[in-house]
Amino acid sequence: MSATSAVPAQSGVLGFVHRRRRGAELFLLVLALAVGIGAYVAVGIGVEGEVPTDVLGYGGALTALLVGAHVLVRFTAPYADPVLLPVVGALNGLGLAVIHRLDLATDSSDAAKQLVWMTLGVLLFAGTLLLLRDHRVLQRFTYTSGLAAIVLLLLPLLPVIGNEVRGARIWINVAGFSFQPGEVAKVLLVVTFAGYLVLHRDALALAGRRVLFVDLPRGRDLGPILAMWLVSLGVLVFQRDLGSSLLFFGLFLVMLYVATERAGWLVVGGGLFAVGAFFGYQAFGHVRRRFDVWLNPFDHYGPGTDDTAFQPVEAMFGMAWGGLLGRGFGEGSPERVPFAESDFVLAALGEELGLTGVMAVILCYGLIVERGLRAALVCRDAFGKLVATGLALVFAVQVFVVIGGVTRLIPLTGLTTPFLSYGGSSLVANWVIVALLLRISDQARRPVPDLSDPVGSGDDEATQVVKAVRA
């Protein structure tokens, strides 16, 4: 008996019942594995002229991780979205291949380390799905999550464990391991924002006054957005991390708009951001230098200059050389861009796979965001809607900031490209985000229990719904 026919006809919203679609997920996973392993083989042939000798071990490890994640989803979240995991697997596999390509050019071993980080990320993905059976439990930790996020953001500023890398103080060193606490903080902040907005949404949405066709909030309600503005300014000033500052403030502002549907919050938030940007530009030399490199990159490139624009200009040359279809793996020189494996992995991909490859990657990110927002739309509780929206926005804002910086649409930031860039903290945190999205989509797509049957087989499901209504 199929999953659809096993549930009562009246259980779906407006008569529609989602199917489990685990078979479709497995089929898409096979395609994702073909992308990841095929790219790895193409790198070996393009650079060394032969199929890599370790392709069986690499392919076996990648297959074991992704198929293992699929089996876990099949048993713990059977109604979860069937598209998210394959898209993430394809991006992660492609990222490993690009990092391996750079390893061959620079004689490093970052791809092997990234595979270890991916293993840890999948293990945490599995732990999240096994331990968190109902996303609504997270609402109990609204303020605890906020406090933990602030502590994590402050850790890099401590004198002993804090570490400054390439001008940004966003790392900590503990027992020989480097970690970026901000990657975990962004997940905790989404939980905090969602819990706070669920409780105070009515006051934030209804009270205020109308000025020039825009409903502005009351002064007394500005506290949260002012607090988040100060936090983002603190990240910019003390950690010198423009990307995280943009991500945190943009995330809160958009979630606030989604929760209240008031454009006035965007006006107030946009004004605060403009004031903060002007203040940062006037007060801090590193902000002015970054803006100047963005506006006039060739004034800071080559002999006779400070050469601070060497990285973005070389990236532009590489992407221009790649053109529409790219040079092919092994035919370009992506190693000319410093830190191409982390900050500029998209430029390396654009040089060897061209605009077509970059557009395919952007489409994959668009699918992740769309599936996250789709889960938010069908979710039955307000907290789940906001958490799913916030997690989808994390990907959207981060990808926009990274790609915008690499292509000079906006000033360059230090954020990583999700699932593509080398970096353990980002990869692990993003796998946890995917697990949360799958958990919410599983809850949202499950059939509604038949409450008209007093002794039916769905007692447990009915009890969950009654608890939700009382809450």
Side-chain angles (χ1 to χ4, degrees), residues 98 101-103 105-106 108 110 166 301 308-321 332-352 405-407 412:
V98 176
R101 160 70 182 93
L102 293 165
D103 281 347
T106 59
S108 55
D110 290 335
R166 301 197 291 272
Y301 175 74
T308 52
F310 181 82
Q311 190 182 32
V313 171
E314 287 290 331
M316 286 190 292
F317 285 153
M319 289 187 287
W321 194 31
S333 302
E335 70 278 5
R336 287 177 56 87
V337 182
F339 305 106
E341 74 282 357
S342 54
D343 295 351
F344 278 78
V345 70
L346 203 75
L349 196 145
E351 180 176 349
E352 301 212 318
V406 171
T407 57
L412 186 64

Side-chain angles (χ1 to χ4, degrees), residues 88-99:
V88 168
L91 286 173
N92 209 153
L94 184 61
L96 282 167
V98 176
I99 295 170

Side-chain angles (χ1 to χ4, degrees), residues 43 94 128 147 176 283 409 433:
V43 166
L94 184 61
T128 304
L147 179 62
L409 179 65
I433 289 176

Side-chain angles (χ1 to χ4, degrees), residues 14 66 71 128 133 164 197 201 214 346 367 414 438 461:
L14 300 178
L66 294 182
V71 172
T128 304
R133 295 306 180 105
E164 183 173 321
L197 291 173
R201 179 178 50 186
V214 177
L346 203 75
L367 278 175
L438 287 176
E461 298 287 344

Side-chain angles (χ1 to χ4, degrees), residues 6-45:
V7 297
Q10 69 274 23
S11 61
V13 178
L14 300 178
F16 178 77
V17 178
H18 290 280
R19 292 188 294 169
R20 300 189 182 192
R21 308 302 296 268
R22 301 275 64 86
E25 182 182 76
L26 182 59
F27 173 74
L28 293 174
L29 263 186
V30 173
L31 298 181
L33 285 169
V35 170
I37 299 175
Y40 191 80
V41 172
V43 166
I45 295 175

Side-chain angles (χ1 to χ4, degrees), residues 106-247:
T106 59
D107 195 22
S108 55
S109 58
D110 290 335
K113 298 175 187 174
Q114 183 79 343
L115 189 59
V116 173
W117 284 116
M118 179 186 175
T119 305
L120 180 59
V122 173
L123 288 176
L124 288 179
F125 168 89
T128 304
L129 285 178
L130 288 171
L131 296 176
L132 185 67
R133 295 306 180 105
D134 189 338
H135 64 270
R136 290 170 294 188
V137 173
L138 294 175
Q139 193 172 359
R140 302 174 189 169
F141 305 101
T142 296
Y143 296 105
T144 307
S145 298
L147 179 62
I150 292 174
V151 171
L152 286 172
L153 289 175
L154 291 176
L155 282 180
L157 301 178
L158 297 180
V160 178
I161 60 175
N163 188 26
E164 183 173 321
V165 178
R166 301 197 291 272
R169 196 177 179 85
I170 56 177
W171 295 85
I172 61 172
N173 282 327
V174 179
F177 292 95
S178 293
F179 187 73
Q180 193 174 339
E183 293 291 341
V184 179
K186 67 184 182 185
V187 182
L188 297 175
L189 285 175
V190 168
V191 174
T192 304
F193 295 161
Y196 174 82
L197 291 173
V198 166
L199 292 176
H200 301 90
R201 179 178 50 186
D202 291 341
L204 296 171
L206 301 176
R209 63 179 57 182
R210 193 171 185 82
V211 178
L212 296 177
F213 308 105
V214 177
D215 293 321
L216 295 177
R218 296 179 303 184
R220 72 183 72 172
D221 297 325
L222 290 176
I225 195 169
L226 287 175
M228 199 59 227
W229 179 62
L230 292 175
V231 169
S232 62
L233 271 183
V235 171
L236 173 63
V237 172
F238 297 109
Q239 299 187 352
R240 298 187 174 188
D241 186 9
L242 178 61
S244 296
S245 176
L246 280 172
L247 176 64

